[in-house]
Amino acid sequence: MSADNNILVVDDSPPVITMIKKILKGYNLKEARSGEEALEIIPVFKPDLILLDVTMHGIDGFEVCRRVRSDGGYNTVKIIMVSSGTILKERIKGYEAGADDYICKPFNKDEFQAKVRAFLRLKQVEDQLQELNATLNEQVQVRTQQLLDAEKMAEIGRYAAGIVHNLKNPLQIIMGEAELIARNDPSNESIGALKNAASHMKEIIGTILTTSHRKNKEFTAEIDLNQVIKDQINLLQANQFFKYEVQTRLELSVIPPYPGIYAHFSQIFGNLIHNAVEAMYDSPEKILTIRSAEEKDAVLIRIRDTGYGIPVDKQETIFDAFYTTKPLTAKDGRPTGTGLGLASSKEMAASYGGDIFVDSKVSEGTEFTLRLPFPGPAQSS
């Protein structure tokens, strides 16, 4: 038998302990000469089986058994009561206290060894079942969270559908009026910017419900991601806070065109850049840095702000749908939010096999990194 099986022998009679040690050679045995000593040893020794004498000075075996069973951490520990008596009432009292079995002195060696083997095997099986149950519970929790996340993303779709429905008509009016004014005053640059912004909004509305790259291959083009970033910066010039208070640094490397849908990337970059700008609303230093680079199999876009940063315990939560620290409305012009920007951006990036990572330090700032892998032959065909 393996020496890994821990057996605690609790008896106030040294000759009985010596006899048990001879019978159970090969096991990892530890002895206790009283109930009090046994209760001190159990949390440290962590026995698989306790051979517990019924009659001892001080705390008797029944009380020791009750205390062990009252601790939920020892549910699978096996307890065999050891007694020199054969009275039925005493046996019943032992079972009621939580004992698994009884054995009487003087011991029959074969019976003693057989019972020890049987209960150690039972203990091992119960431990395995508990471990399996814990694993299954963990898997259920993970799957439940996946289903909740899926429901959140479905809610984003329903929320977006409402936005599309409510924006289409007023946007058409804006575009029509802008076109009319542009004809009467073709040199007005502000009207040109308004038309560009309205066209951009129309394109976003047209694709807001179709973020899957694979479902929209017919709309795929070779996109200059650096130009998408510049377009978003230009659109932000209408934001007075951004225009007059935020210093922008563009460090854009030459990167190859990326196959995709322009509106998808404009939404991802727009959300990340807006998020960075709004994070600096109250910070003394307001520097927005955007870098692009190519690695061997992907494009990396890094967007850094000098805001107050995100606590470590919140960095996983920020990508959850509807999670936001901003109010839905504000009367003083402060940033507001719905909690959909980062969630939808991460989902959109995932449709290209990409991901968004966050690196943030409180009081220093935050950097979001968008990684977009170049599609292989099967994806790009």
Side-chain angles (χ1 to χ4, degrees):
M1 182 63 66
S2 170
D4 293 333
N5 297 121
N6 291 345
I7 299 176
L8 177 63
V9 182
V10 186
D11 202 301
D12 58 2
S13 171
V16 172
I17 291 177
T18 299
M19 185 190 340
I20 291 175
K21 284 182 176 179
K22 288 181 180 178
I23 295 174
L24 299 180
K25 284 183 179 179
Y27 293 98
N28 186 25
L29 297 179
K30 196 169 186 64
E31 64 184 74
R33 300 294 180 92
S34 68
E36 291 86 349
E37 185 181 4
L39 293 173
E40 292 178 0
I41 290 173
I42 288 170
V44 179
F45 183 57
K46 301 185 185 306
D48 299 296
L49 171 65
I50 301 174
L51 299 172
L52 182 58
D53 188 25
V54 171
T55 306
M56 295 182 289
H57 297 293
I59 300 176
D60 65 15
F62 299 122
E63 180 60 21
V64 172
C65 189
R66 278 190 288 268
R67 293 192 188 184
V68 171
R69 290 305 186 212
S70 68
D71 188 324
Y74 303 112
N75 288 336
T76 62
V77 173
K78 300 302 155 193
I79 300 177
I80 299 178
M81 304 292 285
V82 179
S83 174
S84 57
T86 59
I87 302 174
L88 179 60
K89 286 185 178 179
E90 184 180 271
R91 289 173 177 264
I92 293 174
K93 186 177 180 181
Y95 293 135
E96 290 176 344
D100 295 287
D101 203 355
Y102 235 93
I103 192 164
C104 294
K105 306 173 188 174
F107 306 122
N108 177 288
K109 178 181 177 181
D110 292 336
E111 180 191 13
F112 200 157
Q113 290 176 336
K115 285 194 174 188
V116 167
R117 285 194 300 268
F119 280 104
L120 286 175
R121 282 197 300 269
L122 181 59
K123 168 70 164 58
Q124 184 180 28
V125 170
E126 290 182 358
D127 285 346
Q128 290 172 345
L129 287 173
Q130 278 198 348
E131 184 177 349
L132 178 60
N133 187 52
T135 301
L136 288 173
N137 283 337
E138 183 179 348
Q139 291 175 344
V140 168
Q141 290 176 2
V142 169
R143 182 57 181 155
T144 300
Q145 187 59 51
Q146 290 174 340
L147 292 173
L148 288 173
D149 290 343
E151 176 59 28
K152 287 179 180 179
M153 296 316 298
E155 184 65 23
I156 289 177
R158 292 190 289 270
Y159 189 89
I163 293 175
V164 170
H165 178 75
N166 292 325
L167 288 182
K168 276 186 175 180
N169 289 337
L171 182 59
Q172 285 297 117
I173 295 173
I174 291 172
M175 294 184 69
E177 291 296 321
E179 184 65 33
L180 182 61
I181 296 172
R183 289 178 183 177
N184 296 329
D185 188 5
S187 61
N188 191 324
E189 294 182 359
S190 296
I191 296 301
L194 177 62
K195 288 178 60 181
N196 289 337
S199 297
H200 178 63
M201 186 180 295
K202 182 181 179 181
E203 188 175 6
I204 290 175
I205 288 175
T207 61
I208 198 167
L209 297 177
T210 55
T211 60
S212 172
H213 177 44
R214 290 182 293 275
K215 291 180 182 178
N216 294 279
K217 285 184 179 179
E218 64 269 26
F219 302 112
T220 298
E222 295 294 315
I223 307 298
D224 182 348
L225 297 181
N226 285 339
Q227 186 58 52
V228 180
I229 293 170
K230 294 174 184 177
D231 291 345
Q232 290 301 310
I233 295 298
N234 288 335
L235 286 172
L236 269 173
Q237 295 302 318
N239 182 311
Q240 300 301 299
F241 170 72
F242 174 78
K243 186 173 183 178
Y244 294 109
E245 296 195 42
V246 177
Q247 179 184 350
T248 304
R249 297 175 181 172
L250 297 183
E251 301 176 10
L252 307 178
S253 302
V254 176
I255 55 177
Y258 195 88
I261 299 171
Y262 179 92
H264 289 173
F265 299 118
S266 67
Q267 289 178 68
I268 295 173
F269 295 154
N271 287 333
L272 293 177
I273 293 172
H274 272 89
N275 196 71
V277 170
E278 292 176 347
M280 298 185 287
Y281 191 83
D282 290 319
S283 60
E285 185 179 47
K286 302 174 178 64
I287 301 174
L288 172 68
T289 305
I290 304 177
R291 300 182 176 91
S292 64
E294 177 189 4
E295 59 179 31
K296 63 178 182 179
D297 59 352
V299 171
L300 299 179
I301 308 295
R302 294 185 172 91
I303 299 172
R304 172 174 287 278
D305 64 62
T306 54
Y308 283 103
I310 305 167
V312 174
D313 61 339
K314 302 294 184 185
Q315 290 181 20
E316 290 289 334
T317 314
I318 60 173
F319 292 106
D320 291 348
F322 303 110
Y323 174 82
T324 180
T325 58
K326 304 170 191 173
L328 285 173
T329 60
K331 295 181 180 180
D332 57 358
R334 300 182 68 81
T336 59
T338 61
L340 292 172
L342 288 177
S344 61
S345 294
K346 193 175 181 72
E347 181 77 3
M348 218 171 296
S351 72
Y352 289 86
D355 204 350
I356 300 174
F357 308 94
V358 62
D359 179 18
S360 185
K361 293 182 180 178
V362 174
S363 300
E364 293 185 20
T366 301
E367 181 174 271
F368 285 96
T369 299
L370 168 66
R371 184 182 186 279
L372 294 169
F374 288 113
Q379 291 175 281
S380 59
S381 60

